[in-house]
PDB file of all heavy atoms in Angstrom:
ATOM      1  N   ILE A  28      -1.521 -15.665  -4.304  1.00 91.00           N
ATOM      2  CA  ILE A  28      -0.399 -15.179  -3.512  1.00 91.00           C
ATOM      3  C   ILE A  28      -0.973 -14.821  -2.131  1.00 91.00           C
ATOM      4  O   ILE A  28      -2.174 -14.671  -1.945  1.00 91.00           O
ATOM      5  CB  ILE A  28       0.277 -13.940  -4.126  1.00 91.00           C
ATOM      6  CG1 ILE A  28      -0.702 -12.770  -4.256  1.00 91.00           C
ATOM      7  CG2 ILE A  28       0.918 -14.277  -5.458  1.00 91.00           C
ATOM      8  CD1 ILE A  28      -0.056 -11.433  -4.681  1.00 91.00           C
ATOM      9  N   SER A  29      -0.115 -14.769  -1.125  1.00 89.00           N
ATOM     10  CA  SER A  29      -0.565 -14.435   0.214  1.00 89.00           C
ATOM     11  C   SER A  29      -0.946 -13.000   0.312  1.00 89.00           C
ATOM     12  O   SER A  29      -0.557 -12.160  -0.489  1.00 89.00           O
ATOM     13  CB  SER A  29       0.580 -14.756   1.228  1.00 89.00           C
ATOM     14  OG  SER A  29       1.605 -13.833   1.047  1.00 89.00           O
ATOM     15  N   LYS A  30      -1.733 -12.699   1.335  1.00 90.00           N
ATOM     16  CA  LYS A  30      -2.111 -11.284   1.590  1.00 90.00           C
ATOM     17  C   LYS A  30      -0.879 -10.472   1.893  1.00 90.00           C
ATOM     18  O   LYS A  30      -0.775  -9.330   1.439  1.00 90.00           O
ATOM     19  CB  LYS A  30      -3.107 -11.220   2.746  1.00 90.00           C
ATOM     20  CG  LYS A  30      -4.456 -11.788   2.389  1.00 90.00           C
ATOM     21  CD  LYS A  30      -5.376 -11.833   3.604  1.00 90.00           C
ATOM     22  CE  LYS A  30      -6.601 -12.606   3.257  1.00 90.00           C
ATOM     23  NZ  LYS A  30      -7.440 -12.830   4.449  1.00 90.00           N
ATOM     24  N   LYS A  31       0.057 -11.032   2.602  1.00 90.00           N
ATOM     25  CA  LYS A  31       1.324 -10.344   2.910  1.00 90.00           C
ATOM     26  C   LYS A  31       2.056  -9.972   1.663  1.00 90.00           C
ATOM     27  O   LYS A  31       2.506  -8.838   1.482  1.00 90.00           O
ATOM     28  CB  LYS A  31       2.159 -11.203   3.803  1.00 90.00           C
ATOM     29  CG  LYS A  31       3.460 -10.533   4.209  1.00 90.00           C
ATOM     30  CD  LYS A  31       4.279 -11.422   5.144  1.00 90.00           C
ATOM     31  CE  LYS A  31       5.564 -10.760   5.521  1.00 90.00           C
ATOM     32  NZ  LYS A  31       6.348 -11.597   6.452  1.00 90.00           N
ATOM     33  N   GLU A  32       2.155 -10.900   0.724  1.00 92.00           N
ATOM     34  CA  GLU A  32       2.841 -10.639  -0.564  1.00 92.00           C
ATOM     35  C   GLU A  32       2.098  -9.544  -1.364  1.00 92.00           C
ATOM     36  O   GLU A  32       2.698  -8.661  -1.946  1.00 92.00           O
ATOM     37  CB  GLU A  32       3.008 -11.873  -1.389  1.00 92.00           C
ATOM     38  CG  GLU A  32       3.802 -11.634  -2.659  1.00 92.00           C
ATOM     39  CD  GLU A  32       4.007 -12.896  -3.490  1.00 92.00           C
ATOM     40  OE1 GLU A  32       3.805 -14.013  -2.994  1.00 92.00           O
ATOM     41  OE2 GLU A  32       4.396 -12.725  -4.675  1.00 92.00           O
ATOM     42  N   ALA A  33       0.775  -9.670  -1.331  1.00 93.00           N
ATOM     43  CA  ALA A  33      -0.051  -8.664  -2.055  1.00 93.00           C
ATOM     44  C   ALA A  33       0.165  -7.284  -1.477  1.00 93.00           C
ATOM     45  O   ALA A  33       0.330  -6.285  -2.217  1.00 93.00           O
ATOM     46  CB  ALA A  33      -1.522  -9.055  -2.032  1.00 93.00           C
ATOM     47  N   LEU A  34       0.165  -7.185  -0.141  1.00 93.00           N
ATOM     48  CA  LEU A  34       0.371  -5.888   0.483  1.00 93.00           C
ATOM     49  C   LEU A  34       1.767  -5.347   0.207  1.00 93.00           C
ATOM     50  O   LEU A  34       1.954  -4.135  -0.011  1.00 93.00           O
ATOM     51  CB  LEU A  34       0.164  -6.018   1.988  1.00 93.00           C
ATOM     52  CG  LEU A  34      -1.323  -6.165   2.407  1.00 93.00           C
ATOM     53  CD1 LEU A  34      -1.410  -6.464   3.901  1.00 93.00           C
ATOM     54  CD2 LEU A  34      -2.120  -4.947   2.053  1.00 93.00           C
ATOM     55  N   ARG A  35       2.764  -6.233   0.135  1.00 94.00           N
ATOM     56  CA  ARG A  35       4.108  -5.779  -0.185  1.00 94.00           C
ATOM     57  C   ARG A  35       4.169  -5.225  -1.599  1.00 94.00           C
ATOM     58  O   ARG A  35       4.769  -4.212  -1.883  1.00 94.00           O
ATOM     59  CB  ARG A  35       5.070  -6.962  -0.018  1.00 94.00           C
ATOM     60  CG  ARG A  35       6.486  -6.755  -0.604  1.00 94.00           C
ATOM     61  CD  ARG A  35       7.230  -5.554  -0.189  1.00 94.00           C
ATOM     62  NE  ARG A  35       7.493  -5.491   1.223  1.00 94.00           N
ATOM     63  CZ  ARG A  35       7.938  -4.417   1.852  1.00 94.00           C
ATOM     64  NH1 ARG A  35       8.192  -3.301   1.207  1.00 94.00           N
ATOM     65  NH2 ARG A  35       8.120  -4.441   3.157  1.00 94.00           N
ATOM     66  N   ARG A  36       3.476  -5.917  -2.553  1.00 95.00           N
ATOM     67  CA  ARG A  36       3.449  -5.446  -3.936  1.00 95.00           C
ATOM     68  C   ARG A  36       2.733  -4.082  -4.033  1.00 95.00           C
ATOM     69  O   ARG A  36       3.177  -3.208  -4.781  1.00 95.00           O
ATOM     70  CB  ARG A  36       2.783  -6.469  -4.830  1.00 95.00           C
ATOM     71  CG  ARG A  36       3.611  -7.715  -5.060  1.00 95.00           C
ATOM     72  CD  ARG A  36       2.838  -8.774  -5.851  1.00 95.00           C
ATOM     73  NE  ARG A  36       3.606  -9.914  -6.094  1.00 95.00           N
ATOM     74  CZ  ARG A  36       4.278 -10.148  -7.201  1.00 95.00           C
ATOM     75  NH1 ARG A  36       4.246  -9.293  -8.202  1.00 95.00           N
ATOM     76  NH2 ARG A  36       5.007 -11.241  -7.355  1.00 95.00           N
ATOM     77  N   VAL A  37       1.638  -3.923  -3.272  1.00 96.00           N
ATOM     78  CA  VAL A  37       0.939  -2.640  -3.287  1.00 96.00           C
ATOM     79  C   VAL A  37       1.817  -1.561  -2.702  1.00 96.00           C
ATOM     80  O   VAL A  37       1.927  -0.479  -3.256  1.00 96.00           O
ATOM     81  CB  VAL A  37      -0.371  -2.783  -2.485  1.00 96.00           C
ATOM     82  CG1 VAL A  37      -1.010  -1.414  -2.247  1.00 96.00           C
ATOM     83  CG2 VAL A  37      -1.382  -3.699  -3.211  1.00 96.00           C
ATOM     84  N   PHE A  38       2.474  -1.839  -1.601  1.00 96.00           N
ATOM     85  CA  PHE A  38       3.403  -0.892  -0.954  1.00 96.00           C
ATOM     86  C   PHE A  38       4.477  -0.435  -1.963  1.00 96.00           C
ATOM     87  O   PHE A  38       4.705   0.756  -2.141  1.00 96.00           O
ATOM     88  CB  PHE A  38       4.036  -1.533   0.286  1.00 96.00           C
ATOM     89  CG  PHE A  38       4.896  -0.624   1.094  1.00 96.00           C
ATOM     90  CD1 PHE A  38       4.383   0.007   2.206  1.00 96.00           C
ATOM     91  CD2 PHE A  38       6.248  -0.417   0.742  1.00 96.00           C
ATOM     92  CE1 PHE A  38       5.183   0.847   2.973  1.00 96.00           C
ATOM     93  CE2 PHE A  38       7.027   0.424   1.517  1.00 96.00           C
ATOM     94  CZ  PHE A  38       6.535   1.062   2.621  1.00 96.00           C
ATOM     95  N   ASP A  39       5.100  -1.403  -2.610  1.00 97.00           N
ATOM     96  CA  ASP A  39       6.163  -1.123  -3.572  1.00 97.00           C
ATOM     97  C   ASP A  39       5.621  -0.322  -4.773  1.00 97.00           C
ATOM     98  O   ASP A  39       6.309   0.598  -5.266  1.00 97.00           O
ATOM     99  CB  ASP A  39       6.845  -2.383  -4.066  1.00 97.00           C
ATOM    100  CG  ASP A  39       7.633  -3.077  -2.968  1.00 97.00           C
ATOM    101  OD1 ASP A  39       7.945  -2.430  -1.930  1.00 97.00           O
ATOM    102  OD2 ASP A  39       7.990  -4.242  -3.156  1.00 97.00           O
ATOM    103  N   ALA A  40       4.451  -0.636  -5.233  1.00 97.00           N
ATOM    104  CA  ALA A  40       3.842   0.076  -6.364  1.00 97.00           C
ATOM    105  C   ALA A  40       3.543   1.554  -6.007  1.00 97.00           C
ATOM    106  O   ALA A  40       3.800   2.452  -6.828  1.00 97.00           O
ATOM    107  CB  ALA A  40       2.570  -0.614  -6.829  1.00 97.00           C
ATOM    108  N   ILE A  41       3.037   1.743  -4.797  1.00 97.00           N
ATOM    109  CA  ILE A  41       2.744   3.115  -4.353  1.00 97.00           C
ATOM    110  C   ILE A  41       4.048   3.912  -4.292  1.00 97.00           C
ATOM    111  O   ILE A  41       4.124   5.055  -4.746  1.00 97.00           O
ATOM    112  CB  ILE A  41       2.043   3.076  -2.982  1.00 97.00           C
ATOM    113  CG1 ILE A  41       0.660   2.486  -3.078  1.00 97.00           C
ATOM    114  CG2 ILE A  41       1.968   4.525  -2.379  1.00 97.00           C
ATOM    115  CD1 ILE A  41       0.030   2.184  -1.704  1.00 97.00           C
ATOM    116  N   GLU A  42       5.083   3.276  -3.733  1.00 97.00           N
ATOM    117  CA  GLU A  42       6.377   3.934  -3.618  1.00 97.00           C
ATOM    118  C   GLU A  42       6.959   4.259  -5.004  1.00 97.00           C
ATOM    119  O   GLU A  42       7.474   5.356  -5.241  1.00 97.00           O
ATOM    120  CB  GLU A  42       7.328   3.044  -2.862  1.00 97.00           C
ATOM    121  CG  GLU A  42       8.524   3.736  -2.303  1.00 97.00           C
ATOM    122  CD  GLU A  42       9.236   2.862  -1.293  1.00 97.00           C
ATOM    123  OE1 GLU A  42       9.534   1.682  -1.597  1.00 97.00           O
ATOM    124  OE2 GLU A  42       9.552   3.388  -0.213  1.00 97.00           O
ATOM    125  N   SER A  43       6.847   3.315  -5.925  1.00 97.00           N
ATOM    126  CA  SER A  43       7.404   3.513  -7.277  1.00 97.00           C
ATOM    127  C   SER A  43       6.647   4.609  -8.046  1.00 97.00           C
ATOM    128  O   SER A  43       7.185   5.240  -8.944  1.00 97.00           O
ATOM    129  CB  SER A  43       7.408   2.237  -8.086  1.00 97.00           C
ATOM    130  OG  SER A  43       6.099   1.870  -8.500  1.00 97.00           O
ATOM    131  N   ALA A  44       5.390   4.877  -7.636  1.00 97.00           N
ATOM    132  CA  ALA A  44       4.617   5.918  -8.240  1.00 97.00           C
ATOM    133  C   ALA A  44       4.912   7.294  -7.635  1.00 97.00           C
ATOM    134  O   ALA A  44       4.388   8.304  -8.074  1.00 97.00           O
ATOM    135  CB  ALA A  44       3.146   5.638  -8.111  1.00 97.00           C
ATOM    136  N   GLY A  45       5.823   7.292  -6.637  1.00 97.00           N
ATOM    137  CA  GLY A  45       6.246   8.567  -6.062  1.00 97.00           C
ATOM    138  C   GLY A  45       5.411   9.030  -4.869  1.00 97.00           C
ATOM    139  O   GLY A  45       5.549  10.183  -4.437  1.00 97.00           O
ATOM    140  N   TYR A  46       4.588   8.173  -4.312  1.00 97.00           N
ATOM    141  CA  TYR A  46       3.775   8.519  -3.159  1.00 97.00           C
ATOM    142  C   TYR A  46       4.324   7.875  -1.905  1.00 97.00           C
ATOM    143  O   TYR A  46       5.107   6.977  -1.954  1.00 97.00           O
ATOM    144  CB  TYR A  46       2.325   8.059  -3.385  1.00 97.00           C
ATOM    145  CG  TYR A  46       1.636   8.683  -4.551  1.00 97.00           C
ATOM    146  CD1 TYR A  46       1.466   7.969  -5.726  1.00 97.00           C
ATOM    147  CD2 TYR A  46       1.184  10.023  -4.510  1.00 97.00           C
ATOM    148  CE1 TYR A  46       0.851   8.533  -6.840  1.00 97.00           C
ATOM    149  CE2 TYR A  46       0.546  10.565  -5.622  1.00 97.00           C
ATOM    150  CZ  TYR A  46       0.396   9.840  -6.759  1.00 97.00           C
ATOM    151  OH  TYR A  46      -0.235  10.408  -7.843  1.00 97.00           O
ATOM    152  N   ASP A  47       3.858   8.373  -0.748  1.00 98.00           N
ATOM    153  CA  ASP A  47       4.223   7.811   0.543  1.00 98.00           C
ATOM    154  C   ASP A  47       3.309   6.638   0.835  1.00 98.00           C
ATOM    155  O   ASP A  47       2.130   6.830   1.065  1.00 98.00           O
ATOM    156  CB  ASP A  47       4.054   8.893   1.600  1.00 98.00           C
ATOM    157  CG  ASP A  47       4.361   8.420   3.019  1.00 98.00           C
ATOM    158  OD1 ASP A  47       4.558   7.209   3.191  1.00 98.00           O
ATOM    159  OD2 ASP A  47       4.352   9.254   3.920  1.00 98.00           O
ATOM    160  N   PRO A  48       3.840   5.416   0.793  1.00 96.00           N
ATOM    161  CA  PRO A  48       2.998   4.237   0.950  1.00 96.00           C
ATOM    162  C   PRO A  48       2.260   4.175   2.304  1.00 96.00           C
ATOM    163  O   PRO A  48       1.141   3.730   2.364  1.00 96.00           O
ATOM    164  CB  PRO A  48       3.941   3.053   0.801  1.00 96.00           C
ATOM    165  CG  PRO A  48       5.251   3.592   0.436  1.00 96.00           C
ATOM    166  CD  PRO A  48       5.223   5.094   0.554  1.00 96.00           C
ATOM    167  N   VAL A  49       2.926   4.628   3.372  1.00 96.00           N
ATOM    168  CA  VAL A  49       2.276   4.572   4.677  1.00 96.00           C
ATOM    169  C   VAL A  49       1.078   5.500   4.690  1.00 96.00           C
ATOM    170  O   VAL A  49      -0.020   5.105   5.119  1.00 96.00           O
ATOM    171  CB  VAL A  49       3.317   4.966   5.775  1.00 96.00           C
ATOM    172  CG1 VAL A  49       2.603   5.071   7.150  1.00 96.00           C
ATOM    173  CG2 VAL A  49       4.435   3.950   5.840  1.00 96.00           C
ATOM    174  N   LYS A  50       1.215   6.676   4.185  1.00 97.00           N
ATOM    175  CA  LYS A  50       0.103   7.650   4.150  1.00 97.00           C
ATOM    176  C   LYS A  50      -1.030   7.156   3.247  1.00 97.00           C
ATOM    177  O   LYS A  50      -2.187   7.186   3.633  1.00 97.00           O
ATOM    178  CB  LYS A  50       0.610   9.006   3.681  1.00 97.00           C
ATOM    179  CG  LYS A  50      -0.473  10.063   3.693  1.00 97.00           C
ATOM    180  CD  LYS A  50      -0.006  11.390   3.288  1.00 97.00           C
ATOM    181  CE  LYS A  50      -1.189  12.349   3.318  1.00 97.00           C
ATOM    182  NZ  LYS A  50      -0.959  13.642   2.849  1.00 97.00           N
ATOM    183  N   GLN A  51      -0.666   6.701   2.059  1.00 97.00           N
ATOM    184  CA  GLN A  51      -1.684   6.225   1.113  1.00 97.00           C
ATOM    185  C   GLN A  51      -2.446   5.020   1.626  1.00 97.00           C
ATOM    186  O   GLN A  51      -3.660   4.974   1.526  1.00 97.00           O
ATOM    187  CB  GLN A  51      -1.044   5.907  -0.237  1.00 97.00           C
ATOM    188  CG  GLN A  51      -0.375   7.087  -0.942  1.00 97.00           C
ATOM    189  CD  GLN A  51      -1.311   8.240  -1.186  1.00 97.00           C
ATOM    190  OE1 GLN A  51      -1.154   9.287  -0.593  1.00 97.00           O
ATOM    191  NE2 GLN A  51      -2.262   8.063  -2.059  1.00 97.00           N
ATOM    192  N   LEU A  52      -1.745   4.033   2.193  1.00 96.00           N
ATOM    193  CA  LEU A  52      -2.424   2.871   2.738  1.00 96.00           C
ATOM    194  C   LEU A  52      -3.288   3.225   3.952  1.00 96.00           C
ATOM    195  O   LEU A  52      -4.376   2.719   4.114  1.00 96.00           O
ATOM    196  CB  LEU A  52      -1.385   1.772   3.114  1.00 96.00           C
ATOM    197  CG  LEU A  52      -0.844   0.987   1.937  1.00 96.00           C
ATOM    198  CD1 LEU A  52       0.374   0.190   2.318  1.00 96.00           C
ATOM    199  CD2 LEU A  52      -1.919   0.092   1.334  1.00 96.00           C
ATOM    200  N   SER A  53      -2.777   4.137   4.792  1.00 95.00           N
ATOM    201  CA  SER A  53      -3.546   4.566   5.943  1.00 95.00           C
ATOM    202  C   SER A  53      -4.844   5.234   5.512  1.00 95.00           C
ATOM    203  O   SER A  53      -5.918   4.934   6.056  1.00 95.00           O
ATOM    204  CB  SER A  53      -2.751   5.567   6.801  1.00 95.00           C
ATOM    205  OG  SER A  53      -1.610   4.979   7.290  1.00 95.00           O
ATOM    206  N   GLU A  54      -4.769   6.108   4.545  1.00 97.00           N
ATOM    207  CA  GLU A  54      -5.977   6.760   4.018  1.00 97.00           C
ATOM    208  C   GLU A  54      -6.953   5.760   3.402  1.00 97.00           C
ATOM    209  O   GLU A  54      -8.147   5.852   3.589  1.00 97.00           O
ATOM    210  CB  GLU A  54      -5.607   7.871   2.994  1.00 97.00           C
ATOM    211  CG  GLU A  54      -4.891   9.045   3.613  1.00 97.00           C
ATOM    212  CD  GLU A  54      -5.754   9.866   4.567  1.00 97.00           C
ATOM    213  OE1 GLU A  54      -6.984   9.817   4.504  1.00 97.00           O
ATOM    214  OE2 GLU A  54      -5.172  10.526   5.458  1.00 97.00           O
ATOM    215  N   TYR A  55      -6.399   4.778   2.695  1.00 96.00           N
ATOM    216  CA  TYR A  55      -7.255   3.749   2.085  1.00 96.00           C
ATOM    217  C   TYR A  55      -7.967   2.942   3.184  1.00 96.00           C
ATOM    218  O   TYR A  55      -9.159   2.726   3.117  1.00 96.00           O
ATOM    219  CB  TYR A  55      -6.465   2.815   1.183  1.00 96.00           C
ATOM    220  CG  TYR A  55      -7.310   1.669   0.716  1.00 96.00           C
ATOM    221  CD1 TYR A  55      -8.249   1.862  -0.248  1.00 96.00           C
ATOM    222  CD2 TYR A  55      -7.206   0.412   1.291  1.00 96.00           C
ATOM    223  CE1 TYR A  55      -9.100   0.793  -0.670  1.00 96.00           C
ATOM    224  CE2 TYR A  55      -7.999  -0.613   0.873  1.00 96.00           C
ATOM    225  CZ  TYR A  55      -8.935  -0.417  -0.134  1.00 96.00           C
ATOM    226  OH  TYR A  55      -9.747  -1.456  -0.506  1.00 96.00           O
ATOM    227  N   ILE A  56      -7.235   2.520   4.195  1.00 95.00           N
ATOM    228  CA  ILE A  56      -7.820   1.767   5.271  1.00 95.00           C
ATOM    229  C   ILE A  56      -8.917   2.532   5.975  1.00 95.00           C
ATOM    230  O   ILE A  56      -9.995   1.990   6.315  1.00 95.00           O
ATOM    231  CB  ILE A  56      -6.738   1.254   6.287  1.00 95.00           C
ATOM    232  CG1 ILE A  56      -5.828   0.227   5.610  1.00 95.00           C
ATOM    233  CG2 ILE A  56      -7.396   0.704   7.542  1.00 95.00           C
ATOM    234  CD1 ILE A  56      -4.590  -0.065   6.401  1.00 95.00           C
ATOM    235  N   LEU A  57      -8.715   3.828   6.218  1.00 94.00           N
ATOM    236  CA  LEU A  57      -9.684   4.641   6.925  1.00 94.00           C
ATOM    237  C   LEU A  57     -10.906   4.911   6.069  1.00 94.00           C
ATOM    238  O   LEU A  57     -12.010   4.940   6.558  1.00 94.00           O
ATOM    239  CB  LEU A  57      -9.071   5.942   7.363  1.00 94.00           C
ATOM    240  CG  LEU A  57      -8.045   5.862   8.468  1.00 94.00           C
ATOM    241  CD1 LEU A  57      -7.349   7.213   8.678  1.00 94.00           C
ATOM    242  CD2 LEU A  57      -8.708   5.384   9.749  1.00 94.00           C
ATOM    243  N   SER A  58     -10.726   5.099   4.777  1.00 95.00           N
ATOM    244  CA  SER A  58     -11.814   5.537   3.915  1.00 95.00           C
ATOM    245  C   SER A  58     -12.419   4.454   2.996  1.00 95.00           C
ATOM    246  O   SER A  58     -13.524   4.593   2.533  1.00 95.00           O
ATOM    247  CB  SER A  58     -11.388   6.679   3.017  1.00 95.00           C
ATOM    248  OG  SER A  58     -10.459   6.247   2.056  1.00 95.00           O
ATOM    249  N   GLU A  59     -11.611   3.442   2.709  1.00 90.00           N
ATOM    250  CA  GLU A  59     -11.904   2.406   1.701  1.00 90.00           C
ATOM    251  C   GLU A  59     -12.110   3.019   0.325  1.00 90.00           C
ATOM    252  O   GLU A  59     -12.731   2.421  -0.555  1.00 90.00           O
ATOM    253  CB  GLU A  59     -13.111   1.549   2.098  1.00 90.00           C
ATOM    254  CG  GLU A  59     -13.150   0.218   1.352  1.00 90.00           C
ATOM    255  CD  GLU A  59     -14.225  -0.727   1.905  1.00 90.00           C
ATOM    256  OE1 GLU A  59     -15.097  -0.294   2.653  1.00 90.00           O
ATOM    257  OE2 GLU A  59     -14.184  -1.901   1.462  1.00 90.00           O
TER     258      GLU A  59
END
């Protein structure tokens, strides 16, 4: 699958888990 599709799936999964996807992805990008 494309990276874009993968990121969309990750975003949706974070949201479905009840977390803020923007915050979670930002923290991941900064810290790995």
Side-chain angles (χ1 to χ4, degrees):
I28 61 172
S29 68
K30 291 175 188 171
K31 181 178 179 178
E32 184 179 346
L34 289 172
R35 168 53 62 191
R36 288 173 179 265
V37 170
F38 186 96
D39 292 344
I41 294 169
E42 198 168 50
S43 74
Y46 298 104
D47 178 353
V49 173
K50 182 177 180 186
Q51 297 303 111
L52 283 167
S53 298
E54 292 294 336
Y55 173 75
I56 291 168
L57 291 172
S58 70
E59 200 173 10

